[in-house]
Amino acid sequence: MKLKHFLLIGTGFMLFGGILVAGTYTAGAQKTIVWENGPKLLDMKEHTEKFKANEIKNLVIQAENQEINIRQGLDFEVTTQYEKSDEPKVVLKDQTLSIRAKGKQEYPMQISLEDTHPEITITVPKEISLSDITIESSNNRLTMTDITTKNLAVDSYSDSWLSFIGLKTDSVTVKDRFSSVDFSRLKAKKGNFTGEGSNFYFYDSALTDSSTIVVKNGSVRLNDVDVPGYQLTLAGDSTFQVNNETREGSSFEKGNSKKGLTIEGKDTFIEWMDEKYQNSMSEQMDEMDDMDDMGDHMDHMDSHMEDETE
């Protein structure tokens, strides 16, 4: 009886949703039907607000369940897409632009004719260098591309995915819990990164002054990272690999460790790959591709000769 009752409810929901969706589509409105203690019609909104570039020195973002994109462009503007009941707050005061947005997690059942994921797009003029960017993230997908700021501070948790590409900064600080944080082409004087259950990834990046990475129950991957030196300490069930080779021991040091990078890992996997090794691996992959192409060519010639023989 329970299964039959469930199937009847599901069938009723589908029929009801189909009727409403068809009605709104016919009326020219793009709407979404979701199930939240019964059928519910969502009303998605989009808003763009422009600002003068000289009005803003600092950027503060507090967001939950959002898709966030921070990028370069011509004008300073903020575009938000949101459910009508969850309109973000965008406030400019004392040269600080604050954006606060809290969206709902995805509904278990929905029928949609439009994109219903809450989104924030922040466009920063190419010639602008900000003083401070502060980000508090919970269950967000954030991408920041080619932004320059004196300081970046990030507090992330609850399964966020953060990607910083081409960031230029004097100082970057990240405190994370149970998220993934990627840095590609990072250029920074110093950085401090702490995490629990976190995954940090650094690629083609440089830290020129004393910096720290402290991670528990997570992973740290450093590919082609330029630092004056490093000092690494392992605890618990941790592993350290250099160019895919596991190193035995619990303490490692290379170069100018006092002005370099200090790494502490507890129950954490740490991988370091240098540029030469990566180039070597790429060359080997290219050689394998060439051999595969040659093999395909030989197979083709053999097949052609067999056809002529016949």
Side-chain angles (χ1 to χ4, degrees):
M1 291 299 293
K2 289 184 178 180
L3 178 60
K4 183 178 179 181
H5 184 64
F6 176 79
L7 292 174
L8 288 173
I9 292 176
T11 302
F13 172 72
M14 292 176 65
L15 291 173
F16 179 74
I19 293 171
L20 285 182
V21 168
T24 55
Y25 181 81
T26 303
Q30 290 186 331
K31 301 293 183 180
T32 299
I33 308 297
V34 299
W35 186 270
E36 187 181 44
N37 298 322
K40 176 183 176 182
L41 185 63
L42 294 188
D43 189 3
M44 299 298 296
K45 299 292 183 181
E46 183 175 304
H47 178 71
T48 298
E49 191 168 352
K50 294 188 176 183
F51 304 89
K52 295 180 180 179
N54 59 4
E55 293 179 328
I56 300 171
K57 292 291 185 182
N58 309 306
L59 178 63
V60 177
I61 301 171
Q62 294 176 310
E64 183 176 350
N65 301 319
Q66 303 285 322
E67 189 88 27
I68 304 170
N69 185 18
I70 308 171
R71 65 188 185 185
Q72 283 188 344
L74 296 177
D75 301 316
F76 211 127
E77 62 183 34
V78 177
T79 299
T80 53
Q81 176 180 287
Y82 54 91
E83 187 180 341
K84 185 177 180 180
S85 59
D86 299 326
E87 182 176 1
K89 294 181 179 180
V90 181
V91 178
L92 175 60
K93 183 178 180 182
D94 297 331
Q95 293 188 306
T96 297
L97 180 63
S98 300
I99 302 170
R100 293 176 173 82
K102 185 175 181 180
K104 296 182 178 66
Q105 292 186 347
E106 293 185 1
Y107 294 94
M109 296 181 64
Q110 72 175 41
I111 301 174
S112 179
L113 295 177
E114 60 183 338
D115 183 8
T116 62
H117 199 85
E119 295 182 6
I120 302 171
T121 301
I122 304 168
T123 304
V124 180
K126 293 181 180 180
E127 69 277 7
I128 293 297
S129 176
L130 297 172
S131 295
D132 294 283
I133 298 178
T134 303
I135 299 172
E136 184 177 333
S137 171
S138 173
N139 195 33
N140 296 308
R141 303 294 182 268
L142 180 147
T143 302
M144 177 189 289
T145 307
D146 295 331
I147 299 298
T148 301
T149 180
K150 187 174 182 180
N151 300 296
L152 171 67
V154 179
D155 189 355
S156 57
Y157 47 91
S158 186
D159 195 27
S160 290
W161 292 77
L162 312 180
S163 180
F164 300 90
I165 305 168
L167 171 67
K168 296 180 181 179
T169 182
D170 286 350
S171 174
V172 52
T173 301
V174 178
K175 296 179 180 179
D176 176 72
R177 294 169 298 284
F178 308 107
S179 300
S180 293
V181 185
D182 297 349
F183 287 92
S184 178
R185 295 189 286 109
L186 167 67
K187 305 298 180 186
K189 289 184 179 179
K190 61 180 180 179
N192 294 288
F193 311 90
T194 60
E196 181 175 356
S198 307
N199 298 305
F200 286 101
Y201 178 67
F202 301 86
Y203 174 73
D204 189 20
S205 298
L207 296 165
T208 59
D209 210 340
S210 299
S211 302
T212 60
I213 301 175
V214 180
V215 178
K216 179 181 179 182
N217 294 319
S219 67
V220 181
R221 288 177 167 83
L222 305 107
N223 291 2
D224 188 16
V225 176
D226 185 14
V227 293
Y230 66 80
Q231 183 174 357
L232 187 147
T233 305
L234 303 178
D237 186 18
S238 295
T239 302
F240 179 42
Q241 286 188 354
V242 178
N243 297 334
N244 283 335
E245 293 184 2
T246 301
R247 298 296 176 90
E248 299 296 331
S250 60
S251 182
F252 308 87
E253 187 172 342
K254 182 178 180 180
N256 188 347
S257 59
K258 292 183 179 180
K259 292 191 64 177
L261 178 62
T262 299
I263 306 174
E264 297 179 10
K266 183 177 181 181
D267 301 324
T268 293
F269 174 77
I270 301 174
E271 178 186 65
W272 194 298
M273 296 180 67
D274 59 35
E275 183 179 9
K276 291 182 180 179
Y277 180 78
Q278 285 185 312
N279 291 339
S280 175
M281 291 293 291
S282 297
E283 291 174 359
Q284 291 181 26
M285 293 297 294
D286 291 340
E287 290 176 359
M288 292 177 64
D289 290 339
D290 291 340
M291 292 180 67
D292 289 340
D293 292 340
M294 185 177 294
D296 292 340
H297 180 66
M298 294 297 294
D299 291 341
H300 176 73
M301 290 185 64
D302 291 342
S303 177
H304 181 68
M305 292 178 65
E306 290 176 0
D307 292 340
E308 289 184 347
T309 302
E310 294 177 358

